[in-house]
Amino acid sequence: MQLEPTTAGGRRFVEIAEAHIEAFRARAAEHDRAGSFPSENFDDLRKSGAVGAFVPEDLGGLGLESVQDWSTGIERIARGDPSTAIALNMHLAVSRNVAQSLRGAQARGDAEAIARGEGMLGAVASGQLLICATATEPGTDFLRPNTTATPTADGWSISGRKIFVTMSPVANLYALNVRAPDPEGGPDRMGFAFVPVGTPGVVPQDDWDALGMRASGSQSIVLEDCRVPTGSVQLVGTWGEWNPGVLMGRTLGNVSLIGAFLGIAERARELAVAGARKTTKPKYDGAIAGASGVQHLLGEIDIALAAARASLRDATAAIDTLLAHNPEPDLETAHGCMRDYQCAKWTVNQNAIGIVSRAMDVCGGGAFMSGHELSRLYRDVRAGPFMQPFSPTEAREYVGRIALGLPPKG
Ligand SMILES: Cc1cc2nc3c(=O)[nH]c(=O)nc-3n(C[C@H](O)[C@H](O)[C@H](O)COP(=O)(O)OP(=O)(O)OC[C@H]3O[C@@H](n4cnc5c(N)ncnc54)[C@H](O)[C@@H]3O)c2cc1C
């Protein structure tokens, strides 16, 4: 059974996502070939309200809160265009954080933070604010950003280079992690910064030219002495060290991305079934669906799909349950949550790659042609394992260290 939404906000989001599939698919091949960003898809996502999924209903949004339903909506969008699915996911990851901070501010009665959060979320719901999330830098990792935030008389100066900045061609705000000095002279701190697109010193590199996800706009961004006001940088912990908040944020910001790769697998299966019914060969007296080799491949696809769906459903349902009962878990629980996410990510990605490959076998040589949707999906699905956290070279070590009770490496 395909993933289905479990909450009212989730149903609204998934219904909207499903309504976008056909139009996004119709545009996908052209943008893939050109390596261009499908801005029209984001016009549609603004109009439909999908960009405001995490905004509370009273601020004009869809009121989505469930991580499981978020990943289900991303899965549906990916059936139309995987590049748009990962691009939307980045924006939703940051806006979900803003909505969570607003709930915290409301609980504390912090009027200033409430006004800031409501202002941002109102702009998100109306489609005026699109936010991309960038952590990746050449030669380092998430916990050890080399992009610096240096205090100035009236705020901060941000300098560095970020790569793989998905959705940046249409975003108007970058959310990024930075290294900052500790105000009390201790070890350097990790911080999160908001930098408006167009801030003097921000230089988008227009260099995205990749094997797959070619319409995701994941260009590099250079920041040279970008000046932002005091409230634009939030210090969240010691540079190079996990703490529960940063670790949960890393899990919550990325787990739904797995949905995009499940969506690719779902679409590949649809194409395989259609191809098996449509393609005829004399030796089978009609459609190749009558061939046992094709039937076995489709059986393998469905078995792999069942494992992938179950794994993502289980991990995201567990996160929803955890957040409902223990929204601020300790470090050990947060590592357990990251471990579950890593297990689901591995299971979905490995199965999705195999499913697309088998779907190509079913559809035959035609699927190898550049114009065939499966050949694009074959390239797009290969992006999944690279998505941090963690890469294939790191993920199993992380899970294994947790199993052994050893401190995980960042
Ligand atoms: C399709 C796609 C979308 C992504 N979107 C985001 C995102 O929105 N935000 C985010 O923070 N991360 C994003 N990532 C990055 C991802 O999470 C990983 O961090 C990234 O794949 C590198 O991880 P790695 O550990 O394998 O690094 P490594 O492969 O060890 O490091 C990346 C290396 O790539 C080399 N490189 C050279 N030129 C470039 C270039 N122009 N672009 C990229 N790399 C270059 C550099 O040498 C660099 O050290 C995206 C990745 C992909 C494939």
Side-chain angles (χ1 to χ4, degrees):
M1 292 272 292
Q2 68 175 8
L3 302 190
E4 296 294 352
T6 59
T7 62
R11 274 187 285 283
R12 287 189 282 275
F13 178 52
V14 172
E15 265 171 34
I16 286 172
E18 286 174 347
H20 286 303
I21 295 175
E22 291 302 325
F24 290 2
R25 188 178 296 148
R27 298 171 186 142
E30 191 188 327
H31 285 291
D32 171 64
R33 192 165 280 261
S36 51
F37 190 85
S39 304
E40 323 86 279
N41 291 358
F42 272 81
D43 292 341
D44 291 354
L45 290 164
R46 283 189 188 97
K47 277 187 213 133
S48 68
V51 294
F54 278 112
V55 178
E57 281 182 277
D58 60 352
L59 293 176
L62 300 182
L64 175 65
E65 288 191 24
S66 158
V67 173
Q68 184 176 5
D69 296 351
W70 175 17
S71 63
T72 302
I74 294 298
E75 184 267 284
R76 298 299 203 276
I77 298 272
R79 294 186 193 201
D81 182 358
S83 283
T84 295
I86 66 167
L88 176 65
N89 191 71
M90 305 309 173
H91 164 80
L92 293 182
V94 186
S95 48
R96 183 196 166 280
N97 263 346
V98 178
Q100 185 179 308
S101 301
L102 174 62
R103 284 193 288 275
Q106 286 164 337
R108 293 193 310 276
D110 181 341
E112 201 183 315
I114 292 172
R116 196 168 50 237
E118 287 184 348
M120 278 183 85
L121 291 172
V124 166
S126 66
Q128 289 165 300
L129 181 59
L130 289 176
I131 316 168
C132 60
T134 165
T136 307
E137 296 180 25
T140 188
D141 54 48
F142 171 82
L143 269 185
R144 299 164 189 84
N146 290 326
T147 295
T148 53
T150 309
T152 62
D154 54 357
W156 299 88
S157 162
I158 315 282
S159 292
R161 178 186 175 88
K162 296 286 183 182
I163 56 179
F164 294 104
V165 191
T166 297
M167 202 200 85
S168 50
V170 286
N172 22 43
L173 190 64
Y174 305 112
L176 51 133
N177 59 340
V178 292
R179 179 178 193 160
D182 182 48
E184 282 153 26
D188 278 354
R189 307 283 297 274
M190 155 94 101
F192 288 111
F194 281 123
V195 178
V197 173
T199 301
V202 173
V203 190
Q205 300 293 298
D206 192 20
D207 57 358
W208 183 242
D209 182 10
L211 172 74
M213 298 291 186
R214 289 177 53 77
S216 64
S218 306
Q219 63 180 332
S220 311
I221 304 286
V222 171
L223 303 113
E224 291 168 345
D225 189 17
C226 299
R227 301 299 177 112
V228 292
T230 309
S232 304
V233 175
Q234 193 199 354
L235 302 181
V236 292
T238 304
W239 187 87
E241 285 178 20
W242 287 122
N243 66 45
V246 170
L247 185 53
M248 282 306 291
R250 194 71 176 136
T251 296
L252 291 169
N254 293 281
V255 65
S256 56
L257 202 50
I258 311 174
F261 300 92
L262 180 60
I264 293 175
E266 295 279 2
R267 176 61 181 158
R269 184 219 186 248
E270 287 171 6
L271 290 167
V273 170
R277 288 188 176 136
K278 197 173 118 202
T279 310
T280 58
K281 286 201 175 165
K283 71 172 159 183
Y284 299 117
D285 274 339
I288 59 167
S292 65
V294 168
Q295 292 163 6
H296 287 188
L297 277 167
L298 287 168
E300 286 179 4
I301 285 174
D302 271 6
I303 292 164
L305 204 46
R309 289 167 176 161
S311 173
L312 182 56
R313 194 186 282 126
D314 184 59
T316 51
I319 289 172
D320 281 339
T321 304
L322 173 69
L323 293 179
H325 296 102
N326 183 10
E328 292 182 5
D330 61 18
L331 192 61
E332 192 184 345
T333 308
H335 274 303
C337 200
M338 171 63 91
R339 184 262 327 274
D340 292 351
Y341 154 41
Q342 291 305 311
C343 294
K345 177 173 181 265
W346 187 276
T347 306
V348 172
N349 281 328
Q350 299 305 321
N351 279 304
I353 289 170
I355 287 166
V356 178
S357 185
R358 288 188 184 96
M360 291 180 82
D361 288 343
V362 170
C363 292
F368 192 66
M369 306 308 285
S370 296
H372 197 290
E373 190 178 343
L374 275 173
S375 78
R376 171 168 51 81
L377 298 182
Y378 187 69
R379 291 181 284 105
D380 285 347
V381 77
R382 199 59 189 80
F386 295 122
M387 298 289 182
Q388 293 278 12
F390 288 106
S391 73
T393 57
E394 300 159 347
R396 286 164 293 180
E397 178 189 290
Y398 179 88
V399 174
R401 288 183 76 90
I402 298 280
L404 291 165
L406 297 171
K409 293 183 181 162

